[in-house]
């Protein structure tokens, strides 16, 4: 299944160079892949995966290993950030 | 230094400056800065006063931690009746001006009356005098600060001033200090301009002193700084990407108001984001962002300092805009960008520079341009009326209109009214996206429900800094709540509003609350100030301040009908994103909030509530 992975702020360093202009990369994943598995595959520091959204909806830490991604969804991840 | 226990009262009509002791009974009940100055204001000013009449007063106030070694202890606020809103106004600014006021030995400066001619106030420690400002009238903020520093022959003089926006009656004029920090909202600069007061220049050499318990204060401030240093948001997130990192977050969540709130996601959000500011431009190979920057005593350093692309159409042959200067921050980038559908980062920074240079609020300005673009889109405003084509997304229109507004040129004069007055003038009051005549900041309340209630009940009109539930609903600080539901938001909003009232009265920056709670602030205040500042006392003070402001607004003529959102947010559902199909549930949350506050169904604090709070 096709899923879009978006990494922002300092996590964008983990993207291929050409993908940093958009903060996004297209992934082809086995059905049922979870956000936690993507985080592990991409060797993203767990402590920096603070804000995890799937199609804009927050996925709590306890659900990141069980929430199955679906075709066409967007997984977006930020380190601890704030603003205002 | 805790309180200096001195107030400077400036009668602009008579041209006098007099020192008086700080009312220490009130200091114990309202702490300082926002709370204490508002107490002075409501005691001295008729709530029904015309904001632009000499009878309105304006207070510049520090908090007990301003000028101390407490992290972010450089804040000051301007309290008055807002020109834009007609409500109590309290605009808070960083930089170095507030600390300098404290170093000169003053807790606050109260301005009353109106000068018969342009003047500026010069303070050097205990000495204060009004000086002629005829040579400064007509000058920008940047020119004014430079001239005053040269005149005083002291580069360490700190200056706050109004630009041409404040002189020309732009209803949302700011008071700008240190070139690009501003008491920005509600038209406090418009009030200053109406008094013929161009600037305040301060040099303080007394340093810090008067801390109640120096040893305990040292211990408390070091511990609190450690909390900031060990928190990933305040030690890494904010310094690296600043507030602008929110652009993509809020857009992904479907809560980025776009094209005057017609949409909740902006297709060019990434182009105007914090990430984009870090990237090298294809045109000149340089990133817009030069460095981060800190205000006085701040250990976070969230500020952005940027340089524009010298080849951008807005600054070609304008070298005065090529140097490093403040911006872009998230709110300005949103208001000048997504709110108008403009995705040109350089154009946004140019308009932001103009706002700083001429002293007007980029949030209200950007949102007003967005409203004008919708009026243009609907055919209500024409090319001839505006003086140019002004479709959504036009960077050229944004740039030209920013140049016209402060000077009051052409259609810029109408933009200077703000969106509420502009839209009403053209028969479409419902197209003004704000509350109490003040425009929304950068969060769409269809996607972040609690912010709808925070906006509707904010005492100074729509504002994110009175109750920033985004911290909880989006960022999970202190705990994550669901942004798409109304349940529990009444209590959440009240808690944020009351706690923020305390931080705004202490002299520190509200951004500390991304890491601190009241429990981190309390030991610092208790060590600095006499009177025993317990958690319970602080909580009561926060709630007291909020209710005091509410009582003033009610007496000024505001009612429950003013605690509402524009019809668009209540009837036009979000088209995309997680909030697709949702409107804001303000009508559900409002009565819950009144009940949580101890107010009646009309939004009036009950006798019991007032008695409990000592009001």
């Amino acid at each position: 299944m096709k899923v879009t992975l978006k990494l922002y702020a300092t996590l964008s360093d983990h993207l291929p160079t050409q993908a940093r202009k958009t903060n996004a990369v297209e992934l082809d994943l086995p059905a049922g892949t979870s956000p936690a598995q993507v985080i592990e595959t991409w060797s993203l520091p767990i402590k920096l995966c603070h804000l995890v959204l799937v199609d804009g909806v927050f996925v709590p830490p306890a659900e990141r290993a069980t929430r199955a991604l679906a075709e066409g969804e967007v997984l977006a991840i930020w380190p601890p950030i704030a603003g205002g | 230094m805790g309180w200096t226990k001195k107030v400077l009262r400036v009668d602009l009509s008579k041209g006098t400056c007099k020192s008086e002791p700080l009312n220490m009974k009130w200091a114990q009940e309202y702490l300082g800065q926002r709370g204490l100055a508002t107490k002075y204001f409501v005691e001295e000013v008729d709530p029904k006063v015309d904001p632009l009449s000499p009878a309105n007063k304006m207070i510049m106030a520090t908090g007990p931690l301003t000028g101390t070694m407490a992290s972010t202890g450089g804040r000051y606020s301007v309290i008055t009746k807002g020109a834009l809103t007609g409500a109590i106004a309290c605009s808070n600014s960083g930089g170095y001006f507030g600390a300098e006021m404290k170093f000169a030995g003053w807790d606050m400066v109260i301005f009353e009356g109106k000068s018969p001619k342009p003047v500026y106030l010069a303070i050097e420690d205990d000495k204060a005098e009004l000086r002629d400002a005829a040579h400064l009238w007509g000058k920008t903020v940047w020119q004014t600060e430079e001239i005053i520093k040269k005149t005083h022959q002291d580069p360490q003089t700190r200056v706050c001033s109004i630009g041409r926006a404040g002189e020309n009656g732009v209803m949302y004029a700011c008071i700008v200090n240190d070139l690009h920090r501003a008491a920005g909202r509600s038209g406090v600069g418009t009030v200053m301009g109406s008094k013929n007061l161009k600037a305040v220049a301060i040099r303080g050499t007394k340093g810090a002193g008067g801390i109640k318990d120096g040893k305990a204060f040292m211990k408390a401030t070091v511990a609190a700084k450690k909390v900031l240093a060990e928190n990933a948001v305040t030690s890494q997130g904010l310094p690296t990407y600043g507030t602008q990192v929110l652009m993509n977050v809020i857009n992904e969540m479907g809560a980025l108001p776009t094209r005057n709130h017609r949409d909740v996601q902006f297709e060019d959000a990434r182009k105007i984001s914090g990430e984009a500011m870090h990237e090298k431009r294809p045109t000149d190979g340089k990133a817009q962002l030069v460095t981060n920057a800190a205000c006085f005593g701040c250990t976070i350093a969230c500020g952005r300092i940027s340089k524009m692309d010298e080849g951008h159409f807005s600054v070609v042959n304008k070298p005065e805009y090529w140097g490093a200067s403040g911006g872009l921050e998230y709110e300005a980038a949103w208001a000048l960008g997504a709110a108008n559908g403009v995705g040109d980062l350089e154009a946004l920074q140019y308009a932001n520079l103009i706002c700083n240079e001429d002293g007007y609020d980029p949030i209200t300005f950007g949102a007003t341009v967005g409203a004008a673009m919708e009026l243009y889109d609907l055919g209500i405003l024409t090319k001839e009326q505006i003086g140019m084509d002004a479709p959504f997304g036009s960077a050229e229109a944004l740039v030209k209109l920013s140049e016209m507004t402060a000077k009051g040129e052409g259609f810029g004069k109408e933009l200077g009214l703000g969106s509420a007055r502009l839209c009403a003038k053209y028969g479409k009051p419902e197209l003004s996206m704000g509350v109490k005549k003040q425009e929304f900041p950068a969060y769409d309340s269809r996607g972040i429900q609690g912010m709808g209630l925070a906006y509707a009940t904010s005492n100074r009109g729509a504002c994110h800094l009175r109750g920033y539930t985004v911290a909880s609903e989006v960022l999970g600080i202190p705990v994550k709540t669901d942004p798409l539901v109304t349940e529990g938001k009444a209590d959440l909003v009240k808690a944020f509003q009351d706690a923020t009232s305390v931080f705004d009265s202490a002299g520190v920056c509200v951004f500390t609350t991304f890491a601190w709670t009241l429990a981190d602030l309390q030991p610092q205040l208790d060590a600095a100030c006499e009177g025993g500042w317990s958690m319970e006392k602080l909580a009561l003070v926060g709630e007291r301040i909020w209710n005091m402001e509410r009582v003033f607004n009610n007496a000024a003529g505001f009612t429950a009908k003013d605690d509402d959102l524009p019809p668009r947010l209540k009837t036009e559902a979000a088209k995309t994103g997680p909030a697709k199909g949702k409107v804001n549930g303000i009508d559900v949350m409002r009565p819950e909030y009144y009940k949580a506050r101890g107010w009646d169904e009309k939004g009036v604090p009950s006798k019991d509530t007032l008695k409990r709070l000592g009001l």
Side-chain angles (χ1 to χ4, degrees):
Chain A
M1 63 177 178
K2 300 282 187 193
V3 167
T4 302
L5 173 65
K6 293 184 176 180
L7 299 177
Y8 289 104
T10 48
L11 285 177
S12 61
D13 293 343
H14 293 264
L15 287 169
T17 306
Q18 67 274 18
R20 292 178 194 167
K21 278 282 179 191
T22 59
N23 289 98
V25 63
E26 285 275 310
L27 304 181
D28 199 351
L29 300 173
T33 301
S34 69
Q37 286 171 312
V38 175
I39 288 168
E40 186 181 355
T41 303
W42 281 72
S43 302
L44 304 178
I46 295 287
K47 284 180 75 173
L48 291 184
C49 295
H50 178 72
L51 190 59
V52 176
L53 308 181
V54 174
D55 280 357
V57 177
F58 179 70
V59 181
E63 296 174 17
R64 287 171 193 168
T66 54
R67 164 61 159 94
L69 293 165
E71 172 75 27
E73 286 188 323
V74 176
L75 171 63
I77 308 175
W78 284 264
I81 46 99
Chain B
M1 65 178 70
W3 304 282
T4 67
K5 302 180 182 177
K6 275 174 58 186
V7 174
L8 178 63
R9 188 175 293 272
V10 179
D11 188 325
L12 291 160
S13 299
K14 295 176 183 170
T16 59
C17 301
K18 291 180 180 174
S19 172
E20 61 186 48
L22 184 71
N23 186 321
M24 291 309 296
K25 178 178 181 297
W26 290 352
Q28 286 298 320
E29 295 167 349
Y30 298 93
L31 187 54
Q33 201 171 340
R34 173 178 166 185
L36 187 53
T38 305
K39 175 62 176 173
Y40 269 84
F41 187 82
V42 303
E43 290 289 337
E44 297 185 10
V45 178
D46 179 354
K48 295 201 179 294
V49 72
D50 176 349
L52 301 181
S53 74
N56 193 14
K57 298 189 183 186
M58 183 184 80
I59 304 175
M60 294 181 175
T62 63
L65 298 185
T66 307
T68 71
M69 63 181 289
S71 184
T72 76
R75 310 298 297 193
Y76 91 105
S77 291
V78 181
I79 288 81
T80 186
K81 184 171 177 179
L84 184 71
T85 58
I88 193 76
C90 173
S91 289
N92 184 313
S93 182
Y96 292 78
F97 179 83
E100 200 72 18
M101 184 187 294
K102 208 64 172 296
F103 294 160
W106 303 100
D107 286 315
M108 64 175 79
V109 182
I110 301 173
F111 296 95
E112 49 194 34
K114 175 181 179 177
S115 172
K117 60 178 185 176
V119 292
Y120 77 98
L121 175 66
I123 297 174
E124 188 176 339
D125 291 337
D126 296 327
K127 185 179 160 193
E129 63 180 13
L130 290 168
R131 295 182 183 174
D132 180 63
H135 62 301
L136 299 174
W137 208 255
K139 302 293 187 202
T140 69
V141 164
W142 296 351
Q143 290 167 333
T144 299
E145 181 162 337
E146 184 179 2
I147 292 168
I148 287 177
K149 285 185 172 181
K150 278 184 181 169
T151 303
H152 289 218
Q153 297 188 333
D154 185 351
Q156 294 192 66
T157 296
R158 297 294 175 184
V159 179
C160 76
S161 67
I162 56 168
R164 291 175 292 192
E167 295 176 8
N168 292 330
V170 172
M171 295 298 280
Y172 43 91
C174 303
I175 301 171
V176 182
N177 58 284
D178 303 295
L179 301 178
H180 46 245
R181 308 307 307 186
R185 301 223 70 190
S186 311
V188 296
T190 321
V191 173
M192 186 162 162
S194 77
K195 296 185 175 303
N196 274 331
L197 179 64
K198 178 67 178 177
V200 179
I202 300 183
R203 184 70 173 100
T205 63
K206 297 185 177 185
I211 295 292
K212 185 193 76 175
D213 184 339
K215 195 172 176 182
F217 188 65
M218 174 80 83
K219 186 179 173 186
T221 54
V222 168
K225 284 176 184 172
K226 190 162 181 277
V227 172
L228 295 175
E230 291 177 350
N231 180 285
V233 170
T234 47
S235 68
Q236 295 164 36
L238 280 169
T240 306
Y241 282 92
T243 57
Q244 260 278 65
V245 76
L246 282 187
M247 189 68 74
N248 288 310
V249 179
I250 304 301
N251 192 53
E252 286 287 329
M253 291 188 62
L256 190 71
T258 300
R259 290 176 281 272
N260 204 35
H261 286 66
R262 279 181 169 178
D263 300 297
V264 295
Q265 290 183 308
F266 181 37
E267 62 279 6
D268 284 337
R270 201 202 163 279
K271 291 182 184 174
I272 62 170
S273 67
E275 283 84 353
M277 289 173 68
H278 277 257
E279 285 167 7
K280 290 179 180 175
R281 294 176 289 236
T283 45
D284 64 359
K286 297 174 185 172
Q288 189 185 75
L289 184 74
V290 175
T291 185
N292 64 328
C295 299
F296 176 86
C298 178
T299 54
I300 301 174
C302 72
R304 304 291 91 183
I305 301 295
S306 298
K307 271 189 178 182
M308 288 197 61
D309 175 357
E310 297 171 10
H312 188 262
F313 77 87
S314 61
V315 293
V316 170
N317 299 322
K318 296 179 187 173
E320 63 269 33
Y321 299 108
W322 293 353
S325 194
L328 282 161
E329 309 294 346
Y330 172 59
E331 299 296 338
W334 163 78
L336 301 167
N340 310 311
V342 176
D344 180 339
L345 187 68
E346 297 298 313
L348 307 192
Q349 174 61 354
Y350 176 74
N352 182 63
L353 292 177
I354 299 298
C355 288
N356 286 340
E357 183 184 29
D358 257 328
Y360 58 99
D361 174 14
I363 298 179
T364 285
F365 169 70
T368 304
V369 171
M373 285 180 169
E374 181 157 11
L375 292 168
Y376 176 85
D377 186 68
L378 295 171
I380 296 168
L381 281 173
T382 64
K383 177 181 177 181
E384 288 69 34
Q385 285 171 297
I386 299 176
M388 68 196 80
D389 286 315
F392 281 121
S394 173
E396 292 78 9
L398 174 73
V399 163
K400 285 180 188 169
L401 292 170
S402 71
E403 293 169 345
M404 294 159 63
T405 297
K407 297 178 214 166
E409 290 178 357
F411 189 70
K413 187 76 178 171
E414 301 207 37
L415 285 177
L417 296 170
S419 71
R421 292 170 175 85
L422 178 77
C423 292
K425 179 175 179 178
Y426 289 100
K428 286 283 185 183
E430 70 275 16
L431 293 185
S432 171
M433 294 296 124
V435 173
K436 299 180 178 73
K437 294 191 175 71
Q438 179 157 285
E439 291 71 11
F440 294 122
Y443 314 91
D444 195 298
S445 60
R446 289 167 289 198
I448 307 174
Q449 292 284 321
M451 285 307 292
L453 181 62
Y455 292 150
T457 59
S458 162
N459 285 327
R460 71 169 188 175
C463 171
H464 58 297
L465 292 170
R466 285 294 172 276
Y468 193 64
T469 63
V470 171
S472 171
E473 295 181 279
V474 176
L475 306 169
I477 303 169
V479 292
K480 185 74 175 69
T481 52
D482 186 346
L484 298 176
V485 304
T486 59
E487 289 79 14
K489 297 301 165 62
D491 288 332
L492 186 72
V493 167
K494 177 182 180 296
F496 269 88
Q497 288 174 338
D498 290 349
T500 304
S501 297
V502 175
F503 278 84
D504 283 349
S505 301
V508 296
C509 177
V510 74
F511 279 13
T512 56
T513 61
F514 293 127
W516 290 353
T517 66
L518 274 182
D520 297 293
L521 183 63
Q522 181 269 333
Q524 300 178 77
L525 285 169
D526 192 46
C529 306
E530 61 209 51
W533 289 84
S534 64
M535 289 290 287
E536 294 74 21
K537 180 172 175 176
L538 285 173
L540 194 66
V541 165
E543 190 176 3
R544 181 182 295 133
I545 292 167
W546 190 267
N547 279 270
M548 168 177 63
E549 294 172 340
R550 177 73 180 191
V551 169
F552 178 88
N553 280 351
N554 285 349
F558 289 93
T559 69
K561 288 181 182 174
D562 299 299
D563 295 339
D564 206 356
L565 302 175
R568 171 164 287 170
L569 300 179
K570 295 170 49 168
T571 60
E572 296 180 26
K575 298 171 189 165
T576 60
K580 184 177 180 181
K582 282 190 173 293
V583 296
N584 185 269
I586 182 64
D587 293 329
V588 173
M589 294 185 283
R590 190 191 307 103
E592 296 171 351
Y593 172 84
Y594 285 177
K595 188 176 177 186
R597 278 254 170 243
W599 298 352
D600 67 17
E601 70 281 0
K602 293 181 178 174
V604 177
S606 70
K607 285 182 181 175
D608 287 347
T609 298
L610 294 177
K611 185 179 177 186
R612 179 173 60 80
L613 296 172
L615 288 167

